[in-house]
Amino acid sequence: MESLSLAQARRIALAAQGFLDPPHEPPTMRTLQRTVDRTGVLQVDSVNVLQRAHFMPLYSRMGVYDVDLLRRASTGRSRRRLVEYWAHVQALMPVELWPVMQHRMQHYRDRRGKWSIVEAEPGLAESLVAEIRERGASTARELDAGLPRAKEHWGWNWSNARRVLDWLYTTGDLAIAGRTSQFEVLYDLPDRVIPAEILALPTPTPAEAHRELIRRAARSHGVATAADLRDYYRMGVADAAEAVRSLVEDGELLPVAVEGWRRPAYLHRDARLPRRVAARALLSPFDPVVWERARTEALFEFLYRIEIYTPAAKRVHGYYVLPFLLGDRIVGRVDLKADRPSRRLIVKGAYAEALAPPETVEHLGAELDRLAGWLGLEDIAVEMRGDLAAALAALPHG
């Protein structure tokens, strides 16, 4: 069995995630497609204290880009590249994964009785689908306002409608056509969202789908444990284990030992092992590099917990903390907020890791300048919290 040092594993992982790809100036749709091919999915989250979660991994890899690229890639039908589904969690995934997710959709369909609201409101699901068929892409709020007879007859309210709509989207009976400017989901019929050529593809068996998802997870991770691979598309233990075994047998996954890892790991046969990774990026809490916290700690020796849901008095580093990647190490973290009314990027806390090099502050300052520019902010304000704050505040910005 091949052995890898921890540094080699980090470089493999970062290369697999696109941090070795040459930049495009400016980034184009081809750049976006290349980046999504690396990340596999873009997690969607409603938190907007800095920038929406699905925009950030693209920025971390592509640099300053026009966010309209992502809107164009994830709307319309004929040229759609991405569609929102429960892929990792709520996430934008390549539209060609729609047939691969049919086994998951069937799973949710079979669990109709497990969704108490579906059973408690008989006929509501059918009523919602019929209304959307007639009126086109709609939000839960629009449907609630537009179906007085249904409200009177079925006795449901907006929250019930939203819960049933979410169930219908997990079953594939509805698809997400996009989102409004207020970030509300637009639900529509799949044949008005998914390209016809994708809908015409054969549906893989569950075993074939499991293999494809583990294969994609392995490509995106480069090197990973079975638990890492399973988490990428949130798969069941037995399904993932059988897919890993099958891919090892076929030679697509190579068993390896990684320095310091207690569990066996698997290297994708096409993974690159660069001599050096010269990355410099702020990573969203929902970035695939750090979203699985145990992997982040094993790979980068970086203990990371998102504290959004922690009471303010108990937070250690802050509300929306982004790890700072420099080279192939995570060397610090910053708690950031985009204050849009004052057009300022506020650094509410800045912290160095134990082995952060002396040039960390200089590189972090440059990255904050770039981020502020991308977000349309004119100034950077540093609050005196954390061991990097004073040095960061002393840097010229702008």
Side-chain angles (χ1 to χ4, degrees):
M1 181 186 297
E2 183 180 353
S3 295
L4 296 172
S5 70
L6 192 55
Q8 287 175 319
R10 281 197 299 270
R11 296 200 299 271
I12 290 169
L14 291 170
Q17 280 287 317
F19 287 98
L20 210 64
D21 293 338
H24 293 164
E25 296 291 346
T28 63
M29 187 62 76
R30 184 165 66 92
T31 322
L32 184 147
Q33 184 65 62
R34 180 185 68 180
T35 304
V36 174
D37 287 345
R38 303 290 191 204
T39 65
V41 293
L42 298 171
Q43 185 171 338
V44 175
D45 190 85
S46 60
V47 176
N48 195 26
V49 68
L50 182 70
Q51 174 60 291
R52 298 285 187 195
H54 50 296
F55 292 113
M56 284 300 298
L58 296 173
Y59 168 77
S60 298
R61 292 152 179 80
M62 292 163 44
V64 174
Y65 75 99
D66 182 355
V67 296
D68 192 56
L69 285 173
L70 187 54
R71 184 198 62 79
R72 286 163 45 203
S74 57
T75 56
R77 187 192 184 203
S78 61
R79 303 184 68 179
R80 177 183 287 272
R81 297 166 185 258
L82 301 169
V83 67
E84 200 169 321
Y85 187 65
W86 198 261
H88 172 68
V89 287
Q90 190 94 357
L92 286 164
M93 69 179 189
V95 73
E96 66 266 20
L97 277 181
W98 188 262
V100 178
M101 290 297 182
Q102 290 298 314
H103 73 287
R104 186 166 295 182
M105 296 173 188
Q106 186 60 50
H107 167 75
Y108 286 117
R109 196 172 293 116
D110 292 343
R111 293 178 72 247
R112 179 186 180 100
K114 302 285 187 182
W115 293 62
S116 58
I117 188 61
V118 179
E119 293 299 299
E121 300 282 2
L124 176 54
E126 293 77 9
S127 178
L128 287 166
V129 171
E131 184 68 11
I132 289 171
R133 180 177 293 111
E134 179 179 335
R135 68 183 290 165
S138 305
T139 67
R141 185 160 53 91
E142 289 169 338
L143 291 166
D144 180 55
L147 290 174
R149 287 196 301 271
K151 283 183 68 177
E152 180 181 347
H153 182 68
W154 302 115
W156 53 275
N157 57 32
W158 183 91
S159 60
N160 288 349
R162 174 59 188 270
R163 290 161 65 191
V164 173
L165 287 165
D166 278 349
W167 176 72
L168 288 166
Y169 124 81
T170 63
T171 67
D173 293 311
L174 293 178
I176 294 180
R179 288 180 179 261
T180 69
S181 58
Q182 287 76 42
F183 207 60
E184 292 178 283
V185 170
L186 285 163
Y187 301 92
D188 206 347
L189 303 180
D191 60 9
R192 297 199 292 236
V193 174
I194 308 301
E197 63 271 20
I198 299 297
L199 291 175
L201 291 172
T203 299
T205 66
E208 290 168 340
H210 298 151
R211 272 175 57 96
E212 180 60 20
L213 293 176
I214 289 293
R215 177 184 290 117
R216 287 175 178 250
R219 287 175 178 164
S220 291
H221 268 326
V223 62
T225 66
D228 297 334
L229 296 173
R230 182 175 70 247
D231 174 76
Y232 214 89
Y233 291 97
R234 294 296 169 91
M235 298 171 62
V237 174
D239 294 336
E242 176 56 26
V244 169
R245 185 203 62 76
S246 175
L247 291 169
V248 168
E249 188 175 273
D250 290 348
E252 289 191 53
L253 295 184
L254 309 174
V256 294
V258 176
E259 175 191 1
W261 290 14
R262 292 177 293 177
R263 296 178 178 177
Y266 301 91
L267 177 72
H268 191 273
R269 67 184 176 192
D270 297 330
R272 294 176 292 174
L273 173 51
R275 295 172 63 98
R276 179 172 176 267
V277 174
R280 190 185 77 188
L282 288 163
L283 303 174
S284 159
F286 308 104
D287 192 291
V289 172
V290 296
W291 68 23
E292 214 299 300
R293 310 308 185 200
R295 174 178 169 83
T296 303
E297 187 172 356
L299 194 59
F300 293 97
E301 301 173 293
F302 180 76
L303 184 62
Y304 183 44
R305 299 290 183 269
I306 189 167
E307 299 181 89
I308 290 173
Y309 306 110
T310 302
K314 295 184 178 181
R315 291 178 193 142
V316 176
H317 295 107
Y319 180 80
Y320 199 77
V321 175
L322 287 78
F324 180 49
L325 175 68
L326 188 62
D328 66 359
R329 300 296 301 263
I330 294 176
V331 299
R333 64 188 93 198
V334 282
D335 182 18
L336 298 180
K337 177 181 179 179
D339 188 340
R340 294 173 179 89
S342 68
R343 302 179 69 83
R344 295 185 306 161
L345 177 62
I346 300 177
V347 182
K348 302 185 73 63
Y351 309 85
E353 289 300 292
L355 299 177
E359 62 271 21
T360 294
V361 168
E362 177 186 350
H363 284 289
L364 178 56
E367 188 54 42
L368 291 171
D369 282 341
R370 186 172 73 148
L371 176 63
W374 179 58
L375 295 175
L377 306 174
E378 296 176 349
D379 194 17
I380 296 175
V382 181
E383 297 180 0
M384 291 297 109
R385 188 162 181 256
D387 55 353
L388 288 180
L392 200 58
L395 293 175
H397 295 289

